[in-house]
Structures are given as structure tokens and as C-alpha cells.
Amino acid sequence: MVRRRLTDEEIDLWHRVAERTERLHPDGAPARPLPKPKPNRNLASTDPSQVPRPSPATPPSPTLSLRPPSVQMDRKAYTRMKRGKLAPEGRIDLHGMTLDRAHPVLNRFILSSQASGRRLVLVITGKGKVARDNGPIPVPRGILRRNVPLWLSMPPLAQAVLQVESAHISHGGDGAFYVYLRRAR
């Protein structure tokens, strides 16, 4: 980038403006803030109680794993959908089905809904049962609730699905999912 020189008019204007202004710090330059101390990178010389400890890992919840970095669908329709104001055009209840039975039923429902021109469908999974004996390793509730989002993100359903979100409480809350479908080609 080439800098140009100021014209005589611009220099004259600058001097007129500078004459009418007051200095913020008439006695000199403003005091500079003290520099921040640099952290000690040598952890061997620090006190063990001062070493930061990693936070315990929390298991991912199905609602957190569904949130993509950005909203894929129309923002206004997304907001209406999350508030329960957008009525689903179709619904399927997988509650009580086994994985072997639910997966093909879900595939057929999603693909036929897209072919018939539906945009928003409701997939009801239920919240799941609490296991009687968790044992030493806790098991998250709801096997369908965990697997349906995975199935929707894998072929052949991935090409039909635009957005998956937990349903509003009026449509089933955490026991159901809104599935917003792409337009049929």
C-alpha cells in the first residue's frame, strides 16, 4: 500500500482542530499500567498444592451430543421449533421397541416422510429405564434415546436429515426428538 502525502488544506484543517482541543494529560504522557507477572513454567519448583488438577470427566449426555456447532436450518424456524410452536407433521413412537426392531422402522419412517414432503417429524424414544444394579460403572439411561441420534447421523438417513434436536416439553421433552428433514430432490 502506497501512502499519499497530505495536502495543504488537510494540514491546515488539522492545525485548526488541534488548536481547539485540550490535552487529556497536560503534564505529560499517561502512566502506563504495570506489566502482568509471567506464570512460572517450571512446575518442578512449585508447591504440589498449587499445581492445577484436571477436572473429572463428565459423561456426554444425548442432548449435548446433538448440538452441532451451528444451526443448519432456518434460524426463525429453529427458534419456533425449540419453543414448541412448530407442529410436527408426522410422529413415530419407538418407545418399548428393541434395537433390532426400532432401527428399520425408523429408517422406513424417515425416508418415507422425506419422500412425502414432510419437513418436521417427531421421533419418540422414551426416557429409558433406570437399571436396578448399576454396578461400579454407571450406565446411561435409555438405549433408544442414545442410539436414535447416531442412526440419524449415519447413512442412509444422514442424507435426509438436516437437524436433530431434543423436543420441547409439550412434545415429549427429553424422551423425544425433533427431526427436521431436507427437501426431497
Side-chain angles (χ1 to χ4, degrees):
M1 182 160 113
V2 178
R3 289 189 172 183
R4 68 175 183 86
R5 294 199 174 263
L6 295 176
T7 65
D8 290 335
E9 287 180 13
E10 292 170 332
I11 293 172
D12 184 45
L13 177 64
W14 175 254
H15 287 297
R16 281 188 279 153
V17 170
E19 288 172 0
R20 295 184 201 155
T21 59
E22 294 180 25
R23 290 185 63 116
L24 289 176
H25 303 281
D27 52 318
R32 292 185 180 177
L34 296 175
K36 294 181 181 177
K38 293 182 180 179
N40 186 0
R41 298 287 181 200
N42 186 3
L43 293 178
S45 66
T46 60
D47 183 20
S49 64
Q50 300 297 325
V51 176
R53 305 217 185 273
S55 62
T58 57
S61 73
T63 54
L64 291 178
S65 63
L66 291 176
R67 297 223 163 88
S70 64
V71 176
Q72 303 296 317
M73 59 187 282
D74 177 52
R75 178 70 68 177
K76 190 173 184 179
Y78 176 79
T79 304
R80 291 186 66 220
M81 178 184 76
K82 285 299 291 175
R83 291 181 179 169
K85 304 292 184 190
L86 202 59
E89 299 169 30
R91 69 182 63 219
I92 186 169
D93 191 352
L94 303 176
H95 188 249
M97 291 187 187
T98 62
L99 289 177
D100 295 338
R101 175 137 166 68
H103 195 184
V105 170
L106 179 67
N107 286 349
R108 196 173 323 110
F109 174 72
I110 294 294
L111 295 176
S112 65
S113 293
Q114 185 193 28
S116 65
R118 293 182 184 150
R119 294 304 303 271
L120 180 65
V121 293
L122 185 68
V123 177
I124 301 168
T125 61
K127 292 184 182 177
K129 294 181 183 177
V130 177
R132 289 184 188 173
D133 181 27
N134 271 345
I137 301 173
V139 179
R141 305 175 32 166
I143 194 157
L144 279 177
R145 184 174 164 218
R146 285 177 298 160
N147 283 312
V148 165
L150 297 175
W151 295 340
L152 292 169
S153 66
M154 295 184 330
L157 299 180
Q159 57 86 22
V161 174
L162 186 63
Q163 187 89 34
V164 179
E165 284 290 329
S166 289
H168 185 267
I169 193 72
S170 64
H171 291 125
D174 287 337
F177 294 104
Y178 291 128
V179 181
Y180 200 81
L181 302 173
R182 297 181 192 275
R183 292 188 195 278
R185 294 178 191 166

